[in-house]
Structure formats: C-alpha cells, structure tokens
Amino acid sequence: MKLVIDRADLLKPLAALNRIVERRTTIPIIANVLLRAEGGRLNLAATDLDISAEASVPAAIGEPGALTVPAATLNDIARKLPDGCQIELSAEADGSRLTVKAGRSRFVLQALPVDDWPDVSADDLPHQFALPAKTLQRILAHTTFAISTEETRYYLNGIHLHADGEGRLNAVATDGHRLAHLTVPLPEGAGDMPPIIVPRKTVGEIARLVADAEGDIDIAVSRAKVRFVVGGITLTSKLIDGTFPDYQRVIPTSNDRVAVLDTATVKDAVARVATITGENGRAVKMEFAPGVLTLSVSNADTGEAREEIEADFEGEPLGIGFNGKYLAEVLGIAAADTVRLALADPGSPCLIKSHESADALIVLMPMRV
C-alpha cells in the first residue's frame, strides 16, 4: 500500500474513529484502525466489537492495499503534524509495518494484517429513515442527561426510541430518579421499526458527530443494531438487548399545583443555594406560595442558604425537596424563557415542561428534606 493524503482529510475521520477504539483490550487488533487504499480513496474503519465506524476520504493512491495500525498512535501523529502538510503512507510488502512521512518527519508503525479484522457491521437493517440533524440534536440534548449509569439495570443504559400509533417518534431516558421524554414527528419509513435502546457510548459518539451537522441524518434499524450516517462517517452499533420499562406509568397526569418560573432566575438561584450542599447534603428545598418561591439548603457541616424569587404559583402552598445536581441539570437543558412545574405533594414526582415545547417533558423524583 502506498498513498499520499492531505492532513486535514485524514485527521477529522481518524479522530472520530479513534474515540471508538478500546484502549485496554486483550484483542490487539481492535486497538487498531483499518486502512484500505483503493479506487482513489482511503477507507478507514474502527471497532470495539459493539460499535464500528467507517469513513472514506480522497487520496492519491500509488499502490492499493490494506493493513491495520495502532489507532491512537496514528491519530497522535496526524494531530501533531503541521497544518496543510501532505502525508505519505507506505506499507512494506509483507504488511508488517507502515511508514508515515510528512516533510522531514518519518514514523514507522507496527502493523497487523486485515485477515483477522472483525466485521460487526455486516447485517441487514431493514427499517430505514432520515431525521433532520437539528431534530436528532434536540433528541440527544433533551434525553442524554437522564441515561442511567447503573450497570445492574442495563436496560436503562441508553435512549429508548419507539414509534407510537399517533404518528410520533418517542425518545425516552431514565435513571429512576429523573425521566426525560421527547416526541418528534414520525419520519417516513420508521412506522414499523421495532422499539430499540441505543447504548450510552453510542449516544455520546453520535452527539459529537451531529454537533455541527446539517441536513438529514440517515438511520437504519434492525432488532439488534442501529446505523447512523453523519458527514461521511458511518457508525453502526449493537443495541441493548432488553425491555425498556413502561415509562408512561411514572409520568404524572393529575398534578394540580402549578408554578411558572423564569428559567434563568430559578437556575441561578438554585446554583447559589446549592453552594452549601456539600458532599452529604444534596437536597434543595423549594417552598411554593402565591407569588413567591423560597429555595433553601441546610447542611450540618457547611451551613445554610436561603433565597426568594418571584413565582406564578397556583394551588395550596407546598414544600418539596429535590436533588440539587439533578434540578440544576434539568433547568440547564430548558431552552425556553419560562419553565412550568406541576406538583402534587412532597412525596410525588414533579412534571416539568416549558410553554414553548409541548412535545418535551421531564419527570423529577423528590427527596426527603
């Protein structure tokens, strides 16, 4: 294999694929990136056996060929080379080493043959549709924070996507303490898709890929895998093999005490009083009364904090506590100027919405205070 490629053409896909690679592994080849030169293009691939990513970039091919080299090392080399340089890649005849040249810099990397490369993306994914990049960005921004990190309930370690009978695609995530739910119009081709759970690592990689994307994102789904095509990179992932719980049961439908708050004001007030929470006292108490919300924290080790802000509140006065970190995260993703909290009593979950986003909601469980 021999080729010449612009540093910029190599660096972007290589950096994305390098994030997939498993650093600590007993299988040496999956710490590598696959390079295949053919037909005027350099094709790259990486996998951790659960996720695989592929990209293709233009290159001046002198001799076609394929091999695998350490992904992290090649990425570091490309990253540290000067902008605008041309990189020459050439492999020895037996494919055991790859030489990387740029200007006066020269590197030799140990290589492994492609014969043992695991192909985890070669499956039929019959359900195919497209989502606007902005829609996918909104789904991820609204739900990712609520994904569980508790491995014992593995079926909560991702975002649940499913179509309903009302022409909507539902996205849900929960860790048992908070639940985020968003609906978007059902894209053409997604009506018969099976319910799926996209794993947390895959969600993180897709979020990075779509952060600056525009246009439509092509998505394909089977019962076992999902594939996203974003900006020339194809990412295929195994799905979580489990059943997502019936989340509709925990969404309150009759909370009759309603507070409408200025999002920025309450977010800043929570941040200020939460300064006192410390390691052992994470609860922020919210006391609602007509026209006013009082936020307070009491910590035996660090002290007390109290602040009042204006609130448009309807119903009997109520005091309720929430995890300060969770409350701050919820308010942080609220893009609207005002946020609406619907409450029932101190022991029942709170339903949080904004007037501008009727298709999005968050459920937050209370804490004892």
Side-chain angles (χ1 to χ4, degrees), residues 229-313:
V229 181
V230 186
I233 295 176
T234 300
L235 189 146
T236 305
S237 171
K238 293 180 181 179
L239 297 169
I240 292 177
D241 183 13
T243 301
F244 203 81
D246 182 9
Y247 64 89
Q248 293 286 356
R249 294 187 306 162
V250 302
I251 299 177
T253 57
S254 57
N255 288 9
D256 56 359
R257 302 182 188 184
V258 178
V260 178
L261 309 171
D262 179 83
T263 306
T265 299
V266 67
K267 181 171 66 174
D268 291 344
V270 168
R272 283 189 289 269
V273 299
T275 306
I276 298 294
T277 57
E279 289 291 329
N280 299 318
R282 297 169 299 163
V284 173
K285 186 175 183 180
M286 306 178 79
E287 296 175 273
F288 295 91
V292 64
L293 165 61
T294 303
L295 299 107
S296 61
V297 167
S298 179
N299 187 305
D301 296 325
T302 56
E304 299 178 355
R306 183 181 180 89
E307 183 166 341
E308 291 184 356
I309 62 173
E310 293 183 0
D312 180 1
F313 180 70

Side-chain angles (χ1 to χ4, degrees), residues 28-344:
I29 199 165
I30 67 170
N32 285 8
V33 60
L34 170 65
L35 306 176
R36 189 184 301 276
E38 58 186 3
R41 302 189 72 82
L42 175 63
N43 302 308
L44 305 95
T47 184
D48 67 357
L49 300 183
D50 290 321
I51 306 173
S52 68
E54 301 172 356
S56 180
V57 291
I61 307 298
E63 296 177 10
L67 49 64
T68 77
V69 294
T73 306
L74 183 59
N75 181 63
D76 280 347
I77 291 171
R79 184 169 52 85
K80 293 173 182 176
L81 289 172
D83 291 341
C85 72
Q86 298 281 299
I87 300 175
E88 179 183 320
L89 304 179
S90 57
E92 296 185 1
D94 62 358
S96 62
R97 300 201 302 176
L98 177 72
T99 300
V100 182
K101 294 181 181 179
R104 296 184 177 182
S105 299
R106 180 178 182 272
F107 309 85
V108 178
L109 304 183
Q110 295 296 322
L112 292 173
V114 299
D115 300 346
D116 297 328
W117 183 258
D119 188 0
V120 299
S121 62
D123 277 347
D124 181 35
L125 286 78
H127 308 280
Q128 302 181 13
F129 55 94
L131 273 179
K134 298 299 182 185
T135 299
L136 185 53
Q137 290 165 8
R138 184 164 177 250
I139 288 173
L140 299 174
H142 184 78
T143 57
T144 299
F145 79 98
I147 295 175
S148 175
T149 58
E150 182 184 335
E151 298 302 330
T152 54
R153 294 193 291 174
Y154 65 93
Y155 47 84
L156 300 182
N157 295 158
I159 294 177
H160 177 46
L161 297 174
H162 72 96
D164 61 24
E166 301 179 15
R168 299 175 303 187
L169 178 65
N170 293 258
V172 192
T174 183
D175 62 3
H177 303 288
R178 57 261 175 97
L179 179 147
H181 180 219
L182 177 71
T183 60
V184 299
L186 188 67
E188 184 178 353
D192 295 329
M193 68 173 280
I196 64 174
I197 308 172
V198 183
R200 181 174 59 245
K201 181 177 178 179
T202 306
V203 168
E205 294 306 322
I206 291 298
R208 292 185 184 95
L209 291 176
V210 303
D212 300 316
E214 297 182 356
D216 287 346
I217 307 300
D218 292 326
I219 302 173
V221 174
S222 70
R223 292 193 177 275
K225 292 184 180 179
V226 62
R227 178 176 297 152
F228 299 85
V229 181
V230 186
I233 295 176
T234 300
L235 189 146
T236 305
S237 171
K238 293 180 181 179
L239 297 169
I240 292 177
D241 183 13
T243 301
F244 203 81
D246 182 9
Y247 64 89
Q248 293 286 356
R249 294 187 306 162
V250 302
I251 299 177
T253 57
S254 57
N255 288 9
D256 56 359
R257 302 182 188 184
V258 178
V260 178
L261 309 171
D262 179 83
T263 306
T265 299
V266 67
K267 181 171 66 174
D268 291 344
V270 168
R272 283 189 289 269
V273 299
T275 306
I276 298 294
T277 57
E279 289 291 329
N280 299 318
R282 297 169 299 163
V284 173
K285 186 175 183 180
M286 306 178 79
E287 296 175 273
F288 295 91
V292 64
L293 165 61
T294 303
L295 299 107
S296 61
V297 167
S298 179
N299 187 305
D301 296 325
T302 56
E304 299 178 355
R306 183 181 180 89
E307 183 166 341
E308 291 184 356
I309 62 173
E310 293 183 0
D312 180 1
F313 180 70
E314 298 177 6
E316 292 295 318
L318 171 69
I320 189 170
F322 294 108
N323 181 300
K325 177 178 179 290
Y326 293 166
L327 184 59
E329 285 181 337
V330 168
L331 295 170
I333 68 165
D337 292 336
T338 59
V339 63
R340 180 181 184 272
L341 279 64
L343 307 123

